Short mmCIF file of all heavy atoms in Angstrom, two decimals:
data_model
loop_
_atom_site.label_atom_id
_atom_site.label_comp_id
_atom_site.label_asym_id
_atom_site.label_seq_id
_atom_site.Cartn_x
_atom_site.Cartn_y
_atom_site.Cartn_z
N SER A 730 17.54 -11.40 14.90
CA SER A 730 17.13 -11.52 13.50
C SER A 730 18.31 -11.19 12.60
O SER A 730 19.23 -10.46 12.98
CB SER A 730 15.95 -10.60 13.19
OG SER A 730 16.29 -9.24 13.38
N TYR A 874 4.69 16.36 19.76
CA TYR A 874 5.86 17.18 19.50
C TYR A 874 7.10 16.50 20.10
O TYR A 874 7.00 15.64 20.98
CB TYR A 874 5.69 18.58 20.07
CG TYR A 874 5.55 18.62 21.58
CD1 TYR A 874 6.65 18.85 22.40
CD2 TYR A 874 4.31 18.43 22.18
CE1 TYR A 874 6.52 18.88 23.78
CE2 TYR A 874 4.17 18.47 23.56
CZ TYR A 874 5.27 18.69 24.35
OH TYR A 874 5.15 18.70 25.71
N PRO A 1101 20.59 16.73 -26.15
CA PRO A 1101 21.64 17.27 -27.03
C PRO A 1101 21.00 18.19 -28.08
O PRO A 1101 20.05 17.79 -28.75
CB PRO A 1101 22.23 16.03 -27.69
CG PRO A 1101 21.78 14.88 -26.85
CD PRO A 1101 20.48 15.28 -26.26
N LYS A 1140 -10.61 -29.57 1.35
CA LYS A 1140 -11.38 -30.00 2.50
C LYS A 1140 -10.93 -29.21 3.72
O LYS A 1140 -9.73 -29.05 3.95
CB LYS A 1140 -11.16 -31.49 2.72
CG LYS A 1140 -11.72 -32.35 1.59
CD LYS A 1140 -11.49 -33.84 1.87
CE LYS A 1140 -12.06 -34.67 0.73
NZ LYS A 1140 -11.88 -36.12 0.97
#
Side-chain angles (χ1 to χ4, degrees):
S730 62
Y874 63 95
K1140 294 181 180 181

